[in-house]
Amino acid sequence: MGQHRRQMIRVGLIGCGFMGRMHGNVYQTLEKAELVAAADIKPDVAEKYDADFGVPAYTSLEALLAGEQVDAIDICLPTYLHRLYTLQAAAAGKHVFCEKPMAMTLSQADEMIEACTKAGVQLMIGHCIRFWPEYAILKKLTDAGSLGKLLSVNLTRYGAFPTWSSDNWLSDPAKAGGGVLDMHIHDTDFALYLLGEPDSIHSWGTVDERGPGQVFTTMTYGKTIAHLEGGWNLPSGTPFKHAFRAIFERGAAIMDAGPLTIYEDGKDPVIPEIPKMEAAGGGNISDLGGYYHELKYFADRLTAGEPFETVTPMTSRLSLATVLEEIRQITK
């Protein structure tokens, strides 16, 4: 990376809503990253973040950059703003962690990559499922081949429409892209991480006033099949669910309404032990899961002067391109 090793990175966070608070919880647990400032366009939201997390809060990125010395900017803003603030952070010479999806369009994603490359800063998109412990175990099982070849995998992620977004921005397809781009992209990205680019993609789904809301996608990899279901068009009050079922030649790995369980022919089922990361600072969740692991990876790699490998700007661009193709197929 051409940068000096350092012991800790100083982070400024922009967007103090649901995900910004999630990230705030994580930074309180990390050894190699310190959250030193935050910003939100709404003064009352910024002030509450200051009170809850004990960092100075500003009402713009410009004010944060003028008032604080930071090494990286963590962007927890609506999707349609990712491009703009990534470009601003890169222009200021700051590394960027940006929530998923990367952007609304491929041209926006390309601008983000070009700006960070030109500025000599690193860009990482928050595809947290690659870091979620159960999914990471599935990736290791698949790569190791200990249960034989992966024959098929079902990836599921659905629930009621999320009502917590600031000014209800998630309901605007021009700002969020619907449930397929906002929620389902997690499983599209993981399928690509697990198996690479597919030989074929076939998608069916539903569209409403909030955009593409639900999708059913089948990807083929030779004789291996990946089937993905996801979206947010279920009735209010429907619980969120994420699950997977991976079938191998000599076993299976299943996470569905219970802990991840690995089944192998001729052996007793195994439930891997997964340490839990407890939230701090009065945050939103009790288990930080993949959010902890992805931000720890971001900080560890930057402080070590090492490039990102688990997720890169180009893998994030590919995930965006793939989801946009799924959306094209269900809206044509």
Side-chain angles (χ1 to χ4, degrees):
M1 285 170 53
Q3 67 179 43
H4 297 295
R5 294 168 63 95
R6 54 188 309 159
Q7 294 189 339
M8 178 177 289
I9 59 166
R10 294 165 57 86
V11 178
L13 181 145
I14 182 161
C16 298
F18 179 84
M19 193 55 65
R21 297 181 68 83
M22 199 88 77
H23 286 198
N25 284 324
V26 173
Y27 286 118
Q28 293 187 338
T29 72
L30 297 181
E31 295 181 356
K32 295 186 178 181
E34 179 186 8
L35 182 63
V36 298
D40 196 283
I41 195 171
K42 296 184 176 180
D44 58 327
V45 175
E47 290 170 7
K48 180 166 175 46
Y49 201 92
D50 181 357
D52 291 344
F53 291 95
V55 296
Y58 299 82
T59 55
S60 71
L61 177 59
E62 293 85 353
L64 186 156
L65 291 171
E68 305 291 335
Q69 292 292 323
V70 299
D71 305 301
I73 296 295
D74 183 331
I75 300 171
C76 293
L77 294 170
T79 305
Y80 75 102
L81 295 174
H82 289 178
R83 168 198 165 274
L84 173 64
Y85 283 90
T86 295
L87 266 55
Q88 290 184 3
K94 310 304 179 185
H95 301 294
V96 179
F97 183 96
C98 180
E99 261 303 327
K100 48 53 61 187
M102 188 173 190
M104 297 295 297
T105 67
L106 290 179
S107 62
Q108 291 179 356
D110 289 338
E111 285 186 75
M112 294 163 68
I113 294 171
E114 182 181 359
C116 290
T117 300
K118 183 178 179 180
V121 298
Q122 298 299 304
L123 170 64
M124 178 173 163
I125 307 300
H127 284 293
C128 62
I129 299 304
R130 295 188 180 214
F131 298 88
W132 217 269
E134 291 88 347
Y135 290 80
I137 290 172
L138 174 55
K139 171 67 171 170
K140 289 180 180 178
L141 273 176
T142 303
D143 289 351
S146 55
L147 298 178
K149 179 185 176 182
L150 179 64
L151 302 177
S152 65
V153 61
N154 288 68
L155 298 163
T156 303
R157 185 171 313 274
Y158 62 71
F161 175 76
T163 59
W164 46 259
S165 65
S166 176
D167 297 325
N168 201 28
W169 68 268
L170 283 171
S171 68
D172 186 345
K175 295 180 178 179
V180 178
L181 180 59
D182 185 78
M183 180 185 288
H184 168 73
I185 194 171
H186 280 302
D187 288 329
T188 297
D189 177 75
F190 186 74
L192 299 176
Y193 181 49
L194 190 67
L195 292 165
E197 292 191 55
D199 299 325
S200 69
I201 301 172
H202 299 283
S203 298
W204 302 264
T206 57
V207 182
D208 58 27
E209 68 279 0
R210 296 176 300 212
Q214 193 85 356
V215 67
F216 301 84
T217 291
T218 299
M219 300 179 180
T220 63
Y221 295 86
K223 293 184 178 181
T224 299
I225 303 296
H227 187 72
L228 289 61
E229 173 194 357
W232 63 24
N233 70 343
L234 280 77
S236 61
T238 305
F240 171 76
K241 177 179 180 178
H242 70 156
F244 64 74
R245 181 176 69 254
I247 302 175
F248 297 86
E249 291 175 309
R250 297 188 299 277
I254 300 174
M255 184 187 75
D256 191 348
L260 168 61
T261 305
I262 299 171
Y263 302 86
E264 186 172 359
D265 288 341
K267 297 184 179 181
D268 291 336
V270 174
I271 298 177
E273 183 177 350
I274 297 173
K276 299 296 181 182
M277 297 302 305
E278 295 301 320
N284 299 291
I285 57 173
S286 61
D287 182 355
L288 296 172
Y291 302 114
Y292 167 83
H293 293 290
E294 68 177 357
L295 289 174
K296 181 179 185 298
Y297 181 87
F298 179 71
D300 288 351
R301 287 283 168 144
L302 285 182
T303 54
E306 297 175 351
F308 301 135
E309 295 174 333
T310 301
V311 58
T312 71
M314 294 310 296
T315 64
S316 299
R317 185 192 188 280
L318 177 60
S319 296
L320 176 61
T322 307
V323 170
L324 291 177
E325 171 59 19
E326 293 177 77
I327 291 173
R328 186 195 69 79
Q329 290 191 23
I330 69 175
T331 56
K332 64 182 180 181

